[in-house]
Amino acid sequence: MYLVYICHENLLLLQFIVVNYYIREGLNMIEQFNKVTAGYYQEFNGIKYTYVEKGKAEGTMEIMPHHLNPNGTIHGGALVALADSIAMAGMIYAYDFVPAATTNLSISFLRTAKSGEVKALAKILSKGRNVSAWQVDCYDEGSNLLSTMQVNFVLIKESSTEWEKKFK
């Protein structure tokens, strides 16, 4: 049994991934990520995982009314949530499901969108023993770059959390 922290802005969700269960059920990795996040922040915001491999991940989010700011354009926080979620999925897979948490991120907003689907492409920049750095670019349906983000994750060592020991 593996435990994963997924951090979105000020919201820290503890999620349990039971890898063997999903493998027995015949689900592929993308189905696993989408199933694990069902009923959580990602599902509420329409974040869907579409591709993952070691060092890369992709996902989408359909712009919904609750993603818009008062100007009628996508809120920056929605792009941060999408980018962080997709990078975290890539990080989790790259490190064979080691628990992790977002430590910091920096995002540049380059263009806005009002509707349609946003696609996030995440790639690993650095895979260290304790910290992993990722870059995530978000695009609109016309392949226009909306934002670029760098995010760092810290790996949580097995002995670093008491609650984790309960589930091993």
Side-chain angles (χ1 to χ4, degrees), residues 61-65 67-68 73-74 113-118 146:
M61 179 178 68
E62 188 72 30
I63 298 174
M64 296 182 267
H67 293 133
L68 303 177
T73 60
I74 191 167
K114 295 183 177 190
S115 63
E117 186 176 79
V118 177
L146 301 177

Side-chain angles (χ1 to χ4, degrees), residues 8-9 34 41-50 58-68 73-86 109 113-121 137-141 146-147:
H8 298 283
E9 294 178 296
N34 286 314
Y41 186 81
Q42 295 87 343
E43 183 181 48
F44 172 76
N45 281 290
I47 295 170
K48 293 184 178 131
Y49 303 92
T50 59
E58 297 177 10
T60 62
M61 179 178 68
E62 188 72 30
I63 298 174
M64 296 182 267
H66 65 270
H67 293 133
L68 303 177
T73 60
I74 191 167
H75 189 281
L79 291 173
V80 170
L82 172 63
D84 187 45
S85 296
I86 301 308
F109 301 107
K114 295 183 177 190
S115 63
E117 186 176 79
V118 177
K119 183 173 187 173
L121 306 175
D137 295 329
C138 292
Y139 298 89
D140 66 12
E141 290 178 323
L146 301 177
S147 65

Side-chain angles (χ1 to χ4, degrees), residues 106-146:
S106 175
I107 190 164
S108 296
F109 301 107
L110 307 171
R111 181 180 286 240
T112 191
K114 295 183 177 190
S115 63
E117 186 176 79
V118 177
K119 183 173 187 173
L121 306 175
K123 66 180 178 180
I124 197 166
L125 299 175
S126 174
K127 185 179 178 187
R129 285 187 347 218
N130 298 311
V131 175
S132 183
W134 288 72
Q135 178 179 324
V136 187
D137 295 329
C138 292
Y139 298 89
D140 66 12
E141 290 178 323
S143 298
N144 297 302
L145 184 61
L146 301 177

Side-chain angles (χ1 to χ4, degrees), residues 2-124:
Y2 296 90
L3 301 172
V4 179
Y5 281 102
I6 296 183
C7 179
H8 298 283
E9 294 178 296
N10 296 325
L11 180 61
L12 184 64
L13 297 174
L14 174 62
Q15 297 181 329
F16 301 94
I17 298 179
V18 185
V19 175
N20 290 334
Y21 168 78
Y22 293 118
I23 292 170
R24 279 195 310 270
E25 294 297 313
L27 300 177
N28 69 32
M29 194 56 57
I30 299 307
E31 290 171 328
Q32 290 179 43
F33 280 113
N34 286 314
K35 188 168 183 170
V36 149
T37 58
Y40 290 97
Y41 186 81
Q42 295 87 343
E43 183 181 48
F44 172 76
N45 281 290
I47 295 170
K48 293 184 178 131
Y49 303 92
T50 59
Y51 179 80
V52 66
E53 71 174 56
K54 300 281 184 179
K56 292 183 182 179
E58 297 177 10
T60 62
M61 179 178 68
E62 188 72 30
I63 298 174
M64 296 182 267
H66 65 270
H67 293 133
L68 303 177
N69 62 31
N71 293 324
T73 60
I74 191 167
H75 189 281
L79 291 173
V80 170
L82 172 63
D84 187 45
S85 296
I86 301 308
M88 178 62 87
M91 200 289 314
I92 290 167
Y93 191 66
Y95 283 87
D96 298 321
F97 300 91
V98 171
T102 301
T103 58
N104 66 303
L105 54 85
S106 175
I107 190 164
S108 296
F109 301 107
L110 307 171
R111 181 180 286 240
T112 191
K114 295 183 177 190
S115 63
E117 186 176 79
V118 177
K119 183 173 187 173
L121 306 175
K123 66 180 178 180
I124 197 166

